[in-house]
mmCIF file with all atom_site columns, all heavy atoms in Angstrom:
data_model
loop_
_atom_site.group_PDB
_atom_site.id
_atom_site.type_symbol
_atom_site.label_atom_id
_atom_site.label_alt_id
_atom_site.label_comp_id
_atom_site.label_asym_id
_atom_site.label_entity_id
_atom_site.label_seq_id
_atom_site.pdbx_PDB_ins_code
_atom_site.Cartn_x
_atom_site.Cartn_y
_atom_site.Cartn_z
_atom_site.occupancy
_atom_site.B_iso_or_equiv
_atom_site.pdbx_formal_charge
_atom_site.auth_seq_id
_atom_site.auth_comp_id
_atom_site.auth_asym_id
_atom_site.auth_atom_id
_atom_site.pdbx_PDB_model_num
ATOM 1  N N   . ALA A 1 15  ? 1.479   16.222 -11.743 1.00 0.00 ? 27  ALA A N   1
ATOM 2  C CA  . ALA A 1 15  ? 0.299   16.804 -12.393 1.00 0.00 ? 27  ALA A CA  1
ATOM 3  C C   . ALA A 1 15  ? 0.059   18.230 -11.927 1.00 0.00 ? 27  ALA A C   1
ATOM 4  O O   . ALA A 1 15  ? -0.345  19.084 -12.706 1.00 0.00 ? 27  ALA A O   1
ATOM 5  C CB  . ALA A 1 15  ? -0.931  15.955 -12.124 1.00 0.00 ? 27  ALA A CB  1
ATOM 6  N N   . SER A 1 18  ? 3.669   20.549 -12.987 1.00 0.00 ? 30  SER A N   1
ATOM 7  C CA  . SER A 1 18  ? 3.957   20.765 -14.399 1.00 0.00 ? 30  SER A CA  1
ATOM 8  C C   . SER A 1 18  ? 3.111   21.857 -15.016 1.00 0.00 ? 30  SER A C   1
ATOM 9  O O   . SER A 1 18  ? 3.649   22.752 -15.662 1.00 0.00 ? 30  SER A O   1
ATOM 10 C CB  . SER A 1 18  ? 3.793   19.468 -15.187 1.00 0.00 ? 30  SER A CB  1
ATOM 11 O OG  . SER A 1 18  ? 4.784   18.554 -14.794 1.00 0.00 ? 30  SER A OG  1
ATOM 12 N N   . PRO A 1 19  ? 1.784   21.859 -14.852 1.00 0.00 ? 31  PRO A N   1
ATOM 13 C CA  . PRO A 1 19  ? 1.001   22.936 -15.445 1.00 0.00 ? 31  PRO A CA  1
ATOM 14 C C   . PRO A 1 19  ? 1.369   24.299 -14.872 1.00 0.00 ? 31  PRO A C   1
ATOM 15 O O   . PRO A 1 19  ? 1.403   25.281 -15.597 1.00 0.00 ? 31  PRO A O   1
ATOM 16 C CB  . PRO A 1 19  ? -0.449  22.577 -15.111 1.00 0.00 ? 31  PRO A CB  1
ATOM 17 C CG  . PRO A 1 19  ? -0.430  21.106 -14.925 1.00 0.00 ? 31  PRO A CG  1
ATOM 18 C CD  . PRO A 1 19  ? 0.913   20.813 -14.326 1.00 0.00 ? 31  PRO A CD  1
ATOM 19 N N   . VAL A 1 20  ? 1.659   24.365 -13.586 1.00 0.00 ? 32  VAL A N   1
ATOM 20 C CA  . VAL A 1 20  ? 2.005   25.653 -12.982 1.00 0.00 ? 32  VAL A CA  1
ATOM 21 C C   . VAL A 1 20  ? 3.296   26.176 -13.587 1.00 0.00 ? 32  VAL A C   1
ATOM 22 O O   . VAL A 1 20  ? 3.402   27.331 -13.959 1.00 0.00 ? 32  VAL A O   1
ATOM 23 C CB  . VAL A 1 20  ? 2.107   25.535 -11.443 1.00 0.00 ? 32  VAL A CB  1
ATOM 24 C CG1 . VAL A 1 20  ? 2.659   26.804 -10.837 1.00 0.00 ? 32  VAL A CG1 1
ATOM 25 C CG2 . VAL A 1 20  ? 0.745   25.204 -10.849 1.00 0.00 ? 32  VAL A CG2 1
ATOM 26 N N   . GLN A 1 40  ? 1.620   50.155 -28.125 1.00 0.00 ? 52  GLN A N   1
ATOM 27 C CA  . GLN A 1 40  ? 0.481   51.046 -27.884 1.00 0.00 ? 52  GLN A CA  1
ATOM 28 C C   . GLN A 1 40  ? 0.749   51.934 -26.667 1.00 0.00 ? 52  GLN A C   1
ATOM 29 O O   . GLN A 1 40  ? 0.485   53.138 -26.701 1.00 0.00 ? 52  GLN A O   1
ATOM 30 C CB  . GLN A 1 40  ? -0.803  50.251 -27.670 1.00 0.00 ? 52  GLN A CB  1
ATOM 31 C CG  . GLN A 1 40  ? -2.002  51.156 -27.429 1.00 0.00 ? 52  GLN A CG  1
ATOM 32 C CD  . GLN A 1 40  ? -3.279  50.403 -27.145 1.00 0.00 ? 52  GLN A CD  1
ATOM 33 O OE1 . GLN A 1 40  ? -3.279  49.185 -26.966 1.00 0.00 ? 52  GLN A OE1 1
ATOM 34 N NE2 . GLN A 1 40  ? -4.381  51.127 -27.089 1.00 0.00 ? 52  GLN A NE2 1
ATOM 35 N N   . ARG A 1 72  ? -6.872  41.325 -25.246 1.00 0.00 ? 84  ARG A N   1
ATOM 36 C CA  . ARG A 1 72  ? -7.533  40.094 -24.793 1.00 0.00 ? 84  ARG A CA  1
ATOM 37 C C   . ARG A 1 72  ? -6.517  38.967 -24.584 1.00 0.00 ? 84  ARG A C   1
ATOM 38 O O   . ARG A 1 72  ? -6.621  38.190 -23.632 1.00 0.00 ? 84  ARG A O   1
ATOM 39 C CB  . ARG A 1 72  ? -8.625  39.667 -25.789 1.00 0.00 ? 84  ARG A CB  1
ATOM 40 C CG  . ARG A 1 72  ? -9.858  40.571 -25.728 1.00 0.00 ? 84  ARG A CG  1
ATOM 41 C CD  . ARG A 1 72  ? -10.982 40.053 -26.616 1.00 0.00 ? 84  ARG A CD  1
ATOM 42 N NE  . ARG A 1 72  ? -10.649 40.010 -28.029 1.00 0.00 ? 84  ARG A NE  1
ATOM 43 C CZ  . ARG A 1 72  ? -10.717 41.040 -28.855 1.00 0.00 ? 84  ARG A CZ  1
ATOM 44 N NH1 . ARG A 1 72  ? -11.121 42.228 -28.417 1.00 0.00 ? 84  ARG A NH1 1
ATOM 45 N NH2 . ARG A 1 72  ? -10.412 40.904 -30.137 1.00 0.00 ? 84  ARG A NH2 1
ATOM 46 N N   . VAL A 1 81  ? -1.939  32.500 -15.865 1.00 0.00 ? 93  VAL A N   1
ATOM 47 C CA  . VAL A 1 81  ? -0.826  32.440 -14.921 1.00 0.00 ? 93  VAL A CA  1
ATOM 48 C C   . VAL A 1 81  ? -1.276  32.680 -13.479 1.00 0.00 ? 93  VAL A C   1
ATOM 49 O O   . VAL A 1 81  ? -0.806  32.017 -12.566 1.00 0.00 ? 93  VAL A O   1
ATOM 50 C CB  . VAL A 1 81  ? 0.276   33.451 -15.322 1.00 0.00 ? 93  VAL A CB  1
ATOM 51 C CG1 . VAL A 1 81  ? 1.356   33.552 -14.261 1.00 0.00 ? 93  VAL A CG1 1
ATOM 52 C CG2 . VAL A 1 81  ? 0.878   33.067 -16.665 1.00 0.00 ? 93  VAL A CG2 1
ATOM 53 N N   . ASN A 1 99  ? 4.695   53.330 -16.677 1.00 0.00 ? 111 ASN A N   1
ATOM 54 C CA  . ASN A 1 99  ? 5.712   53.974 -15.837 1.00 0.00 ? 111 ASN A CA  1
ATOM 55 C C   . ASN A 1 99  ? 7.114   53.777 -16.399 1.00 0.00 ? 111 ASN A C   1
ATOM 56 O O   . ASN A 1 99  ? 7.915   54.708 -16.416 1.00 0.00 ? 111 ASN A O   1
ATOM 57 C CB  . ASN A 1 99  ? 5.638   53.457 -14.400 1.00 0.00 ? 111 ASN A CB  1
ATOM 58 C CG  . ASN A 1 99  ? 4.457   54.005 -13.642 1.00 0.00 ? 111 ASN A CG  1
ATOM 59 O OD1 . ASN A 1 99  ? 3.883   55.021 -14.009 1.00 0.00 ? 111 ASN A OD1 1
ATOM 60 N ND2 . ASN A 1 99  ? 4.084   53.321 -12.572 1.00 0.00 ? 111 ASN A ND2 1
ATOM 61 N N   . ARG A 1 107 ? 14.382  60.060 -18.881 1.00 0.00 ? 119 ARG A N   1
ATOM 62 C CA  . ARG A 1 107 ? 15.816  59.835 -19.100 1.00 0.00 ? 119 ARG A CA  1
ATOM 63 C C   . ARG A 1 107 ? 16.311  60.575 -20.346 1.00 0.00 ? 119 ARG A C   1
ATOM 64 O O   . ARG A 1 107 ? 17.389  61.152 -20.357 1.00 0.00 ? 119 ARG A O   1
ATOM 65 C CB  . ARG A 1 107 ? 16.101  58.340 -19.237 1.00 0.00 ? 119 ARG A CB  1
ATOM 66 C CG  . ARG A 1 107 ? 17.600  58.001 -19.259 1.00 0.00 ? 119 ARG A CG  1
ATOM 67 C CD  . ARG A 1 107 ? 17.843  56.550 -19.590 1.00 0.00 ? 119 ARG A CD  1
ATOM 68 N NE  . ARG A 1 107 ? 17.489  56.187 -20.950 1.00 0.00 ? 119 ARG A NE  1
ATOM 69 C CZ  . ARG A 1 107 ? 18.173  56.541 -22.054 1.00 0.00 ? 119 ARG A CZ  1
ATOM 70 N NH1 . ARG A 1 107 ? 19.241  57.296 -21.964 1.00 0.00 ? 119 ARG A NH1 1
ATOM 71 N NH2 . ARG A 1 107 ? 17.778  56.139 -23.244 1.00 0.00 ? 119 ARG A NH2 1
ATOM 72 N N   . ASP A 1 129 ? -1.642  44.616 -38.738 1.00 0.00 ? 141 ASP A N   1
ATOM 73 C CA  . ASP A 1 129 ? -1.829  43.256 -38.242 1.00 0.00 ? 141 ASP A CA  1
ATOM 74 C C   . ASP A 1 129 ? -0.910  43.064 -37.037 1.00 0.00 ? 141 ASP A C   1
ATOM 75 O O   . ASP A 1 129 ? 0.025   43.837 -36.827 1.00 0.00 ? 141 ASP A O   1
ATOM 76 C CB  . ASP A 1 129 ? -1.586  42.195 -39.324 1.00 0.00 ? 141 ASP A CB  1
ATOM 77 C CG  . ASP A 1 129 ? -0.149  42.133 -39.819 1.00 0.00 ? 141 ASP A CG  1
ATOM 78 O OD1 . ASP A 1 129 ? 0.748   42.732 -39.210 1.00 0.00 ? 141 ASP A OD1 1
ATOM 79 O OD2 . ASP A 1 129 ? 0.084   41.451 -40.826 1.00 0.00 ? 141 ASP A OD2 1
#
Side-chain angles (χ1 to χ4, degrees):
S30 293
V32 172
Q52 180 183 9
R84 287 186 298 277
V93 172
N111 286 340
R119 189 188 68 72
D141 65 12

